[in-house]
Amino acid sequence: MDPRDTAPDSWELEEDAEAPAAAAGLPSAFAALNVNAKPFVPNVNAPVFVPSFLQASAVEIPASDGSEASQPCAVPKEEPGGGGGGGGQEDMGPGEACEEGAARKEDEEMMMEEEEEEMPMPKVAPALPDAPKKEHVNVVFIGHVDAGKSTIGGQIMYLTGMVEKRTLEKYEREAKEKNRETWYLSWALDTNQEERDKGKTVEVGRAYFETEKKHFTILDAPGHKSFVPNMIGGASQADLAVLVISARKGEFETGFEKGGQTREHAMLAKTAGVKHLIVLVNKMDDPTVNWSLERYEECKEKLVPFLKKVGFNPKKDIHFMPCSGLTGANLKDPVSECLWYTGLPFISHLDSLPNFTRSSDGPVRLPIVDKYKDMGTVILGKLESGCISKAQQLVMMPNRHTVEVLSLLSDDVETDDASPGENLKLRLKGIEEEEILPGFILCSPDNLCHSGRTFDAQIVIIEHKSIICPGYNAVLHIHTCIEEVQITALICLVDKKTGEKSKTRPRFVKQDQVCIARLRAAGVICLETFKDFPQMGRFTLRDEGKTIAIGKVLKLVPEKD
């Protein structure tokens, strides 16, 4: 029997009275902390996006850093007297622009093609001042290697107008030269050369798109088991997970069986606090599948019992849909070959989801994903609670540095204030970049988060061959923090069915058991009890490249003087 099938029915202890022993596990850290990955800074040097209606120049001139403007092929030439030369790098009179335009066109296109390689990620147009603010939703794409996560992400970017046809045609030409014709869509999200050469996502790719009602951030997680810590970092920022599985004969089975990442990713997404899961059955256009209802139902029947054990409610939390990432079928428009599927296409389904309930009057909590220098200290992270505005005074924990917010970008668009759920880039005053580490928390001065090294937690042992005794070391992933921890004492065993605690202290715990243990971190970390703040109270324990346990913080133990 697969040990992962023994995962508890639910991690939300308060919500599920029938499974009181179930534990809350959480994720963790980011690409920068994985030994195999380069530090990941999403879109640091991103070009300014200029919508076509703001472009007044007579000809297309590259934006200030050389990247493409929104519609390079579609901007009409204006009459010499009409435009002014305001949209580009140089101040040119309208007459001059028209005379020189044709001669410079070729050079500009060459420049733009060179620059595209560096900066393929597009920008979101700034919202109009009086437009209502759209809800921000973070969507993480998870699943086994080669299921088609990056390809679907790239296809969505193209269908929503965030990547131009011309850019994709360029990727397609380059992919053909390398005999990798089917990879070109994934290059919109896999931006570094290593990822493109190997066809494997390493870092968490990031991109944005908008629908009529919502603003989405795509987090494209790596599927390879070597990069699970990066995947956990992406899942820790997500509101919604999209589990991509391949319907192709043999590929679904490889991903779902023991050792495949379909199971581990679904479990980690749940322990990261993701409540809703969309299962995209990809590659339905493959000759071995050919939009077959039987194959779709077969994949569904195998997945549902496992997802139920992980803690998802099949009726409320999971939605299945067929699609093809390569052709874009059923992502934006319904498919004529698939008459048996009557639901909405993927993008329309995302837009129709109910709003997430987020409290904006709580204390500020922003776990830091990454940091870098750019005319000061810049940090990145998702605002979990509270509101942040320009010029606000905040405190960086656990170092207790008082900082001031100089500027605030939400998904790379400058704003004066931000609400919970938004991905932010903050420029701070009063702290050096070297004094910040991923896993630190930005807090309100009047309500600091707890920090310490010792805590009691309820742990579910998912997969471990031998017994676990006091003195056992593992790697703790909690919110965006990674830290080594030691189990210093086992307090009691918890019965999975009744929730009763053993009266005697166990000498060891093994696979499938639930226990309450005392853990001590190697350094001071920020954390909260699961009851007070679930996002900062769930964690995952990993060892030897495997997720061995998930848990939730029950009590913080004060340090002895």
Side-chain angles (χ1 to χ4, degrees), residues 89-101:
Q89 264 177 326
E90 303 164 26
D91 280 326
M92 268 162 77
E96 229 180 313
C98 282
E99 287 166 17
E100 293 186 23

Side-chain angles (χ1 to χ4, degrees), residues 431-450:
I431 193 166
E432 290 301 314
E433 179 256 346
E434 297 83 21
E435 297 172 300
I436 302 170
L437 289 173
F440 280 16
I441 308 282
L442 208 54
C443 312
S444 319
D446 53 349
N447 191 327
L448 299 176
C449 71
H450 292 93

Side-chain angles (χ1 to χ4, degrees), residues 26-53:
L26 172 65
S28 69
F30 213 55
L33 294 157
N34 180 6
V35 290
N36 298 319
K38 295 168 188 166
F40 170 58
V41 179
N43 252 358
V44 179
N45 306 310
V48 178
F49 176 82
V50 184
S52 52
F53 59 82

Side-chain angles (χ1 to χ4, degrees), residues 203-471:
E203 303 163 347
V204 177
R206 185 183 291 254
Y208 325 111
F209 71 96
E210 287 197 357
T211 58
E212 208 177 308
K213 300 173 192 165
K214 293 181 170 70
H215 173 100
F216 291 95
T217 300
I218 297 175
L219 300 161
D220 176 34
H224 198 278
K225 61 183 175 189
S226 304
F227 308 117
V228 168
N230 298 12
M231 175 267 156
I232 297 173
S236 68
Q237 301 168 69
D239 302 303
L240 177 77
V242 177
L243 178 63
V244 181
I245 58 169
S246 170
R248 188 181 283 165
K249 277 267 189 299
E251 279 192 11
F252 168 72
E253 287 74 10
T254 306
F256 185 66
E257 282 159 16
K258 192 182 175 187
Q261 296 310 109
T262 303
R263 289 166 179 266
E264 187 172 16
H265 277 207
M267 184 186 74
L268 288 169
K270 182 65 186 172
T271 56
V274 172
K275 291 189 172 64
H276 302 285
L277 186 73
I278 295 172
V279 181
L280 277 183
V281 185
N282 190 23
K283 305 191 186 181
M284 288 295 289
D285 59 333
D286 190 79
T288 64
V289 184
N290 203 17
W291 297 99
S292 155
L293 175 61
E294 287 73 27
R295 178 62 172 164
Y296 176 78
E297 288 296 338
E298 184 190 341
C299 297
K300 200 171 164 180
E301 277 166 25
K302 285 182 181 174
L303 260 178
V304 168
F306 172 72
L307 293 175
K308 196 174 176 183
K309 281 178 182 168
V310 165
F312 289 104
N313 180 332
K315 288 178 185 171
K316 291 182 192 168
D317 304 338
I318 308 171
H319 185 84
F320 282 82
M321 60 174 71
C323 77
S324 164
L326 193 61
T327 63
N330 207 36
L331 291 178
K332 191 176 183 185
D333 301 310
V335 196
S336 52
E337 300 99 305
C338 186
L339 297 171
W340 47 264
Y341 177 73
T342 53
L344 289 168
F346 178 65
I347 294 171
S348 308
H349 177 76
L350 284 181
D351 203 27
S352 68
L353 289 170
N355 283 7
F356 289 86
T357 50
R358 293 187 174 110
S359 167
S360 54
D361 51 6
V364 170
R365 293 285 183 274
L366 188 138
I368 288 156
V369 168
D370 213 337
K371 55 25 180 310
Y372 61 92
K373 271 184 183 171
D374 179 16
M375 297 188 298
T377 303
V378 178
I379 58 160
L380 298 107
K382 177 189 168 195
L383 184 57
E384 294 286 1
S385 163
C387 289
I388 292 180
S389 52
K390 226 171 176 176
Q392 189 173 345
Q393 298 275 334
L394 296 165
V395 175
M396 182 73 71
M397 291 292 287
N399 287 1
R400 296 181 183 265
H401 272 109
T402 301
V403 297
E404 185 185 331
V405 180
L406 292 177
S407 67
L408 187 63
L409 286 92
S410 174
D411 275 348
D412 292 319
V413 177
E414 193 145 353
T415 179
D416 287 336
D417 45 59
S419 44
E422 293 186 38
N423 286 300
L424 302 178
K425 205 181 272 186
L426 304 179
R427 187 169 276 110
L428 301 177
K429 179 183 171 186
I431 193 166
E432 290 301 314
E433 179 256 346
E434 297 83 21
E435 297 172 300
I436 302 170
L437 289 173
F440 280 16
I441 308 282
L442 208 54
C443 312
S444 319
D446 53 349
N447 191 327
L448 299 176
C449 71
H450 292 93
S451 61
R453 291 177 61 185
T454 311
F455 60 97
D456 292 346
Q458 182 167 302
I459 303 170
V460 183
I461 312 298
I462 302 289
E463 181 182 8
H464 198 262
K465 286 176 187 170
S466 58
I467 59 172
I468 292 175
C469 306

